[in-house]
Amino acid sequence: MRAVVLISGRGSNLQALLAAQRGGELGVKIVGVISSRDDAPGLRRAAAAGCRVAVVDATRYPGRAAFDAALSEQIDAWQADLVLLAGFLRIFTDDFVIRYQNRMLNIHPSLLPALRGLHTHRRAIAEGHTEHGCSVHAVTPELDGGPVILQARVAVRAEDDEQTLAERVLRQEHRIYPHVVRWFADGRLQLNPDSVILDGKPLARPLQVRAGDPLPD
Ligand code: GAR
């Protein structure tokens, strides 16, 4: 199975996926990395891992439809069975999402449906959340709104600031994202527009782990 990873920045989730691939735990081959920015540090991580890279520079397209068309062209040229969003900070057209809906996953730094959008760690602290975390979900046209598959819960500490909380959440992102990819690779996970099927059964609610607990089989 062939996966393409889409990034816009640092690429630490990409790195976690590449590490899982190297360890034989991912079940898919990352055949290319696409960045929406030519200065994304994640591009260096991809190149260092010997991965093909492409930049589809969002600033060079007149609008979302043109950008998404260029993105699709690259994804399809690499014959991706799976599209992995890993800190890809662009909003897609509905047409793009529908085209890849049954084979596109995202990692988001909150316990969805709480805290969609940006600055989730800052908002979790400002709003007095006692728990925060991250979610791997199927992508649907509704922003950060697709069915959630696996979440990791992280306690918010009194002394946390945005950065300390983000670091603890990020460590969990790096655990749960490759794990869900493996389920997809093994044919255990099917993505539908309004539900996800795991081991033949619709997931009534997301699976959850606490930081430090073992991941579900
Ligand atoms: C990650 O925290 C990811 O969950 C978040 O961007 C960061 C990218 O970090 N994604 C979103 O906020 C998407 N809505 P990375 O480039 O080091 O993987």
Side-chain angles (χ1 to χ4, degrees), residues 81-102:
D81 304 301
L82 179 60
V83 178
L84 298 171
L85 309 180
F88 192 71
L89 301 179
R90 306 290 310 173
I91 296 174
F92 296 119
T93 55
D94 289 2
D95 283 352
F96 180 92
V97 175
I98 289 162
R99 182 183 179 109
Y100 298 104
Q101 189 148 255
N102 60 349

Side-chain angles (χ1 to χ4, degrees), residues 7-11 34-45 53-60:
I7 63 168
S8 298
R10 180 177 54 186
I34 305 175
S35 173
S36 61
R37 300 174 54 126
D38 61 6
D39 59 353
L43 281 170
R44 286 199 297 276
R45 298 183 195 252
V53 298
V55 175
V56 181
D57 182 346
T59 62
R60 293 188 45 204

Side-chain angles (χ1 to χ4, degrees), residues 7-15 42 45 85-89 106-110 116-121 134-135 137 143-144 166 169-170 173-174:
I7 63 168
S8 298
R10 180 177 54 186
S12 73
N13 276 289
L14 165 66
Q15 187 90 60
R45 298 183 195 252
L85 309 180
F88 192 71
L89 301 179
N106 184 39
I107 178 92
H108 181 78
S110 80
R116 295 180 186 190
L118 295 174
H119 310 302
T120 57
H121 313 299
C134 50
S135 307
H137 67 95
L143 184 68
D144 298 330
V169 170
L170 195 63
E173 295 184 34
H174 298 165

Side-chain angles (χ1 to χ4, degrees), residues 146-170:
V148 179
I149 301 156
L150 179 60
Q151 297 182 313
R153 307 177 75 101
V154 170
V156 180
R157 299 176 187 154
E159 67 274 19
D160 266 330
D161 59 22
E162 188 177 353
Q163 197 188 334
T164 57
L165 184 55
E167 279 165 10
R168 289 208 310 290
V169 170
L170 195 63

